[in-house]
Amino acid sequence: MDAVTRKLCALLDRDDVELQCSAARVLGELGAASGEVRACLAKRLPTRNLTLKHYLLSALERIPGREALPYLFPVLKEGGKVQERAAGIIVSCGAAAVSAGKALFASADEDLKMQIVRILGTIGTAEGCRFLVGCIPDAGAELRRAICLALREALGRLSTGDRRSLIGSAPVALVCPTTSRQPGRSEARAAISLSHSGYGTAAMWTQ
């Protein structure tokens, strides 16, 4: 980090919202895409000042990266334009966002889980699809529906080879909630295929 960037980051610590907003704007315009700068901006996101929050998000939109992810996921719970912008930055991080979302999912509340599911669907990777299928057995009806819709979107983004591989082999360990058994490949394949067709939510694995 050069001297100018370091000084700008230091301004974010000042108890002066106008200075903080100006520093965030300049950092974004400079495009100082280092991990330190991203973390410096992102860790101020819990601020209650909505104007500052939007300046911080504007800067992170210009220089997205995995260092900001731990601070961006909690912002998804705020709703409105803030949620929309945070989700867009997270999606732009691609595979790193998939890994971060997977790690956070188990400890997340239901609302945040819904947001993570939607983001994984939008990013659309084979890793994300496998994770979503694995979440179905423990999900409630509303979350299960969201997972199926996300899988439908994600599968449409995969290459033909990845999609065939995922549907054909379904290398996912699933546990049926009513029988505590592990279904075979055909059942895992059915879950993905039903999601791809847009059908099958509450009836899935309810023998």
Side-chain angles (χ1 to χ4, degrees):
M1 187 188 299
D2 62 40
V4 172
T5 303
R6 189 175 298 108
K7 288 179 180 178
L8 288 167
C9 286
L11 289 177
L12 292 172
D13 289 327
R14 298 283 292 275
D15 189 19
D16 184 321
V17 172
E18 288 188 11
L19 276 177
Q20 291 174 311
C21 291
S22 296
R25 179 176 60 81
V26 174
L27 284 168
E29 290 178 353
L30 287 175
S34 74
E36 290 178 279
V37 173
R38 293 188 191 101
C40 188
L41 290 162
K43 70 182 183 181
R44 271 81 181 179
L45 284 172
T47 179
R48 294 183 180 181
N49 188 291
L50 191 57
T51 300
L52 175 57
K53 195 185 295 284
H54 278 292
Y55 271 104
L56 293 168
L57 289 169
S58 293
L60 290 168
E61 284 169 344
R62 290 173 176 263
I63 51 171
R66 60 183 177 81
E67 294 84 2
L69 290 171
Y71 306 96
L72 284 165
F73 275 102
V75 177
L76 295 174
K77 300 171 70 173
E78 297 188 25
K81 190 65 176 178
V82 168
Q83 179 191 86
E84 181 183 332
R85 295 183 73 182
I89 299 168
I90 292 170
V91 168
S92 71
C93 294
V98 173
S99 298
K102 288 170 56 181
L104 181 62
F105 191 85
S107 62
D109 61 26
E110 198 73 3
D111 288 341
L112 186 52
K113 283 181 178 178
M114 294 285 284
Q115 294 300 322
I116 293 171
V117 164
R118 292 185 184 114
I119 284 170
L120 295 185
T122 301
I123 294 173
T125 65
E127 178 187 359
C129 287
R130 292 187 182 97
F131 177 77
L132 289 172
V133 172
C135 291
I136 291 174
D138 295 325
E142 187 176 355
L143 182 58
R144 186 174 293 187
R145 175 175 174 78
I147 291 171
C148 287
L149 291 173
L151 277 168
R152 185 182 184 188
E153 180 178 5
L155 286 166
R157 296 178 184 276
L158 296 182
S159 68
T160 301
D162 282 345
R163 187 162 57 249
R164 285 176 178 170
S165 175
L166 189 65
I167 295 175
S169 61
V172 187
L174 299 172
V175 179
C176 292
T178 56
T179 62
S180 297
R181 68 180 179 80
Q182 290 191 349
R185 286 183 176 179
S186 61
E187 289 169 286
R189 221 172 19 244
I192 301 172
S193 297
L194 285 171
S195 301
H196 191 42
S197 68
Y199 174 79
T201 54
M204 207 177 295
W205 292 294
T206 55
Q207 293 93 338

